[in-house]
C-alpha cells in the first residue's frame, strides 16, 4: 500500500477512483497513480496528483461533458485540490499505436480544462513514468502500457528540454520562472544519469553541478516548496531565460 502524506490525499484519491469508475463503467481498463506522490518529495500544499486512466474504447465529446461535470464536482468538494489534478484518459488502442498512428485522448491538467487532444509521441514521457506507477484500479500499468525503453524516455526528455528556450519567453510570472528552472534541472539530471528524480532532488543535484547557478536554483526551490511566498516581488525573468538556454544547450550538446 502506498504511504500517503495525509488523510486529505487519501480521501481525494478514493473519491477520484470512485468517480472515474462510475463515469466510465466497464470502459475503464485500469487507473494508476504516478508522479511525485509515488517518486517522493510530494508537497500536499503544492504538488499535483497525476493519474492515467486506460479505456477500452475511443473517447469523444460526450466524455468531455460527462467527465467535465465529474471534475467540476470534485473541485467543488475538494477546493484545496482545484487545478491540481492531472488525468490522462487514453484508449488502449491509442496507447498501442501512439508512436506511428496517434489516436485521441482526454486530458485535464493544471491550467487546462478537460479537453480532447492527440495521443502522440509527445506523451511518451508521461506514460514511461506511469509504467512505474501504482495501481489504483485494474491491472498493473506495466500490463496495459506498451514497453517504453529508457533510451526513448531520455530522448523524450531531451526533446522537451529543446522546446523550453522558446516556452520560457512567456514565463513572466514568478511561479512559471521557478517551474522552468526546476524542470530544466530535472531534464539535465535525466539526460546525464538516465533516470528521473523529483524536482527538489534534481535541483539539489544541479546546484552542485552548476555552482554558478546555485543562487537561482536555491531561489526556485525556496519559492516553490516555500508555498510561493518567498521574494514574491523579485524579478528573475532575465536570469531564468539565460539559465534555460544554457542548460538546454548543454543537454543538446550531450546528445551529439
Amino acid at each position: 500500500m502506498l504511504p500517503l502524506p495525509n488523510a486529505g490525499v487519501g480521501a481525494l484519491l478514493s473519491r477520484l477512483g470512485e468517480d472515474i469508475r462510475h463515469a466510465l463503467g466497464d470502459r475503464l481498463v485500469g487507473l494508476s497513480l504516478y508522479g511525485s506522490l509515488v517518486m517522493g518529495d510530494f508537497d500536499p500544499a503544492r504538488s499535483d496528483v497525476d493519474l492515467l486512466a486506460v479505456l477500452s474504447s475511443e473517447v469523444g465529446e460526450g466524455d468531455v461533458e460527462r467527465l467535465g461535470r465529474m471534475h467540476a464536482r470534485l473541485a467543488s468538494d475538494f477546493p484545496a485540490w482545484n487545478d491540481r489534478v492531472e488525468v490522462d484518459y487514453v484508449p488502449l488502442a491509442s496507447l498501442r499505436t501512439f508512436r506511428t498512428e496517434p489516436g485521441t485522448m482526454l486530458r485535464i491538467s493544471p491550467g487546462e480544462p478537460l479537453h480532447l487532444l492527440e495521443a502522440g509521441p509527445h506523451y511518451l514521457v508521461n506514460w514511461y513514468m506511469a509504467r512505474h506507477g501504482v495501481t489504483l484500479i485494474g491491472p498493473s500499468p506495466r500490463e496495459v502500457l506498451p514497453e517504453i525503453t529508457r533510451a526513448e524516455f531520455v530522448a523524450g526528455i531531451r526533446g522537451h528540454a529543446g522546446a523550453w528556450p522558446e516556452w520560457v519567453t512567456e514565463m513572466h510570472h514568478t511561479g512559471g520562472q521557478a517551474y522552468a528552472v526546476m524542470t530544466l534541472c530535472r531534464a539535465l539530471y535525466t539526460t546525464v544519469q538516465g533516470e528521473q528524480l523529483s524536482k527538489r532532488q534534481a535541483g539539489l543535484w544541479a546546484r552542485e553541478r552548476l555552482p554558478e547557478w546555485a543562487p537561482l536554483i536555491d531561489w526556485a526551490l525556496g519559492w516553490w516548496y516555500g508555498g510561493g511566498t518567498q521574494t514574491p516581488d523579485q524579478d528573475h525573468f532575465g536570469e531564468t531565460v539565460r539559465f534555460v538556454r544554457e542548460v538546454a544547450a548543454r543537454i543538446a550538446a550531450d546528445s551529439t
Side-chain angles (χ1 to χ4, degrees), residues 70-84:
M70 182 209 82
H71 280 284
R73 290 193 300 270
L74 184 80
S76 177
D77 293 343
F78 292 83
W81 295 96
N82 183 31
D83 208 33
R84 293 175 56 202

Side-chain angles (χ1 to χ4, degrees), residues 141-152:
R142 288 179 178 268
E143 295 180 40
V144 294
L145 285 164
E147 182 71 31
I148 299 172
T149 67
R150 183 179 298 180
E152 285 182 292

Side-chain angles (χ1 to χ4, degrees), residues 5-212:
N6 59 43
V9 179
L12 175 76
L13 291 176
S14 178
R15 168 68 177 275
L16 255 174
E18 291 176 5
D19 284 0
I20 291 173
R21 192 201 299 266
H22 182 264
L24 295 175
D26 293 340
R27 297 171 65 202
L28 181 63
V29 175
L31 180 68
S32 55
L33 173 72
Y34 65 104
S36 59
L37 191 50
V38 174
M39 294 172 56
D41 280 342
F42 182 85
D43 183 347
R46 167 67 70 175
S47 300
D48 304 327
V49 172
D50 305 292
L51 301 105
L52 171 66
V54 179
L55 284 65
S56 62
S57 59
E58 298 302 313
V59 293
E61 292 294 343
D63 294 306
V64 176
E65 295 178 12
R66 185 182 309 106
L67 291 167
R69 291 193 298 268
M70 182 209 82
H71 280 284
R73 290 193 300 270
L74 184 80
S76 177
D77 293 343
F78 292 83
W81 295 96
N82 183 31
D83 208 33
R84 293 175 56 202
V85 172
E86 180 172 302
V87 188
D88 290 341
Y89 295 92
V90 192
L92 188 59
S94 296
L95 285 170
R96 290 171 175 163
T97 64
F98 77 92
R99 293 178 179 88
T100 56
E101 297 179 26
T104 302
M105 61 183 274
L106 277 167
R107 178 176 174 83
I108 184 170
S109 61
E112 291 185 316
L114 187 73
H115 61 290
L116 292 164
L117 72 166
E118 185 178 84
H122 178 76
Y123 287 98
L124 178 147
V125 168
N126 294 49
W127 300 334
Y128 178 90
M129 297 304 300
R131 275 184 57 85
H132 298 81
V134 173
T135 302
L136 297 182
I137 296 174
S140 162
R142 288 179 178 268
E143 295 180 40
V144 294
L145 285 164
E147 182 71 31
I148 299 172
T149 67
R150 183 179 298 180
E152 285 182 292
F153 171 64
V154 173
I157 292 292
R158 184 173 285 115
H160 285 187
W164 266 98
E166 179 180 349
W167 294 341
V168 74
T169 59
E170 303 297 323
M171 299 293 177
H172 294 285
H173 182 268
T174 305
Q177 295 163 23
Y179 180 82
V181 171
M182 293 186 299
T183 297
L184 267 292
C185 287
R186 186 156 66 172
L188 181 63
Y189 179 89
T190 298
T191 53
V192 170
Q193 302 292 343
E195 299 289 349
Q196 181 89 311
L197 284 180
S198 70
K199 293 184 182 72
R200 189 198 303 268
Q201 291 171 323
L204 294 174
W205 173 87
R207 73 181 307 282
E208 300 300 322
R209 190 177 183 89
L210 307 171
E212 68 277 20

